[in-house]
Amino acid sequence: MANRVPSGPEGVPFLGSSLQYADDPLGFMERVAREYGDVARIDVYGTEVYQVADPEAIRRVLVTNAENYRKPTLGGDEGLGGLLGDGLLTSDGEHWRRQRTVMQPSFYGTKLNEYGDIIVRDTTELADSFTDGEHTDIHAEMSQLTLRIVVESLLGSRIDGMERAIREALIEVGERFQPGPEGFVPEEVPTPRNVRYRRAVDRLDRILREIRRQHDYSGDEDDLLGTLLGEREQGNLTDESVRNEMMTLLLAGHDTTALTLTYAWYLLAKHPDVRREFHDELDAVVDGTPTVDDLADLDYLDEIVTETLRLYPPAYVVYRQANEADDLAGFHVPADTVVSTPQWVVHHDERFFDDPWEFRPERWTDEFRRELPQFAYFPFGGGPRKCIGDGFAMREAKLVLATLGKRFEFDLVSDTPLTLVPLVTLHPENPVEVTVKDR
Ligand code: HEM
């Protein structure tokens, strides 16, 4: 066993580094890695966290020694676990393993092709609603679109007209998980934020009940909700667990992809050369409306999405907690230590990416991909808890970009640079206003 103890910022009594962290979480994570190295110790909100920014050590946490690392219940019932309960993202142990096995088939093989048709159809409906010259918030548009897609493909319902209400409720839910001491005021304390949160969760629960009712009515067993209800029939899942999986899919299944799309449109608008090449490739490969089959020939599109996920990873950090003591990159990690593996830091590390803050899709040549250490780039995490929706999300992001990019380009309305706020996921602070232009 190694006996080196990682160093880190001193902090102040009781608060540790909480204030610096709350002030600028992303900058703080970068500074810690720069000043204290690949394994560093930080003290935020009363928890000691080991930040691990070495790809090989990250691989050990997420893959090779994954059984030693559980999902921490940060914030306890006040954290994400309080909202998603024993859903796939926040559960652990036997229940998680069983659920993962039950849900996995819905995310692979021919199922993905069927989702492709839904994705293109829903995106075409959005495209038909755009008019040349209109201004719109592309983040709001992408969130409503990805909500519609995930509900239709996995939960088997159309939510025409409800997207806005769901999105608004989800924004109020997300505010509660904003970093900062206020986030941990217990839910029963009726602060304005807590009251908004509770009401928003109630609204979402009503909508989920309605989706389930519609599904019961249609009796369709062919989608993921059908699979979950089948498990419920057989007594393997409670109603509460079905609700938790539905809430998990609603949240995890739309927000990150919407962010990827928002950032891709933003970056394309900021980089006219890349945008030109993006459109040229679409025009050369896609005849009319894109299909899943076209994706195999859209290499540059793949590079654009890959680079967007590197530069602005929607999941910017993943947490684990050690069951037993371990060694990471030569440092001793005591049992129960919370470990963070920050995509935000590693994806911008000069050791792996030249000019890491530049948007350069063309860096993703086959050779570059082959030589990159595996966990220098991990937008979907890794190991047994790797994102179950990774294939779905990549396909969705590419098909939405291709379908809209065939018909439009989007210019930014203002030159104001993007400001990012790390909530549960990495969000733009302000609406991303664009002008829709027919091509
Ligand atoms: C670009 C889009 C996406 C990104 C960047 C992303 C990222 C991630 C990451 C990093 C994890 C691992 C978290 C951890 O290890 O603690 C994860 C897990 C998960 N994601 Fe995604 N995700 C995306 C899209 C999706 C989609 C489309 C779905 C569903 C349709 C989804 C559902 C889930 C679920 C259920 C888990 C938990 C899996 C488990 O623990 O077994 N994600 N995602």
Side-chain angles (χ1 to χ4, degrees), residues 48-52 61 69 72 318-322 328 333 337-341:
E48 189 177 70
V49 178
Y50 280 21
Q51 174 173 294
V52 178
V61 173
Y69 289 91
V318 159
Y319 290 100
R320 290 290 187 272
Q321 190 160 12
L328 291 176
V333 178
T337 304
V338 173
V339 170
S340 77
T341 62

Side-chain angles (χ1 to χ4, degrees), residues 123-131 404 407-408:
T123 311
T124 303
E125 280 173 21
L126 174 65
D128 291 342
S129 78
F130 281 152
T131 48
L404 292 176
R407 291 172 56 180
F408 307 103

Side-chain angles (χ1 to χ4, degrees), residues 236-250:
N236 295 329
L237 277 187
T238 61
D239 282 327
E240 179 68 14
S241 296
V242 172
R243 176 269 182 202
N244 289 338
E245 294 300 5
M246 289 175 78
M247 188 68 96
T248 299
L249 292 167
L250 197 67

Side-chain angles (χ1 to χ4, degrees), residues 71 88-89 96 100 154 252-253 256 260 320 379-381 385 387:
K71 288 233 170 178
L88 198 63
L89 185 67
W96 166 79
R100 178 93 191 194
L154 300 180
T256 41
T260 308
R320 290 290 187 272
F380 296 103
R385 303 298 301 245
C387 179

Side-chain angles (χ1 to χ4, degrees), residues 3 11 63 83 124 140 147 226 285 304 316 336 372 381 388 412:
N3 55 13
V63 188
L83 176 66
T124 303
L147 266 173
V285 172
I304 289 170
Y316 58 95
D336 290 323
L372 191 67
I388 199 171
L412 295 170

